[in-house]
Amino acid sequence: MSTLALLVIMLLGLVGMMVVGAIAYAVHRRPALGQPLMVALTAAGVFAAAVTVIVTASGR
C-alpha cells in the first residue's frame, strides 16, 4: 500500500472521528434525537465499513 493511500485512510479516519463526535454531541444536547451512545456507535460503524472498503480496494 502506498504512502498516499495510507495518508488518505488516516485523514478519513480523523474526519470520521470528528463527525462521530459531532453527532454524539448533537444527540447529547437534544435527547429527543436518540440515545447518544447508540448514534455514535452506528456512525463509527459506518465509517469503519467505508475505511474497510477503501483498504480492500487499494490492495488490489
Side-chain angles (χ1 to χ4, degrees):
M1 187 178 300
S2 70
T3 305
L4 179 61
L6 289 173
L7 180 63
V8 169
I9 291 170
M10 183 184 73
L11 290 175
L12 180 65
L14 289 174
V15 170
M17 286 188 285
M18 288 173 51
V19 169
V20 168
I23 290 171
Y25 178 75
V27 172
H28 179 68
R29 296 290 292 165
R30 304 276 184 193
L33 295 177
Q35 296 189 9
L37 186 59
M38 184 57 70
V39 173
L41 289 175
T42 302
V46 169
F47 283 114
V51 169
T52 302
V53 169
I54 291 171
V55 169
T56 303
S58 67
R60 292 182 182 177

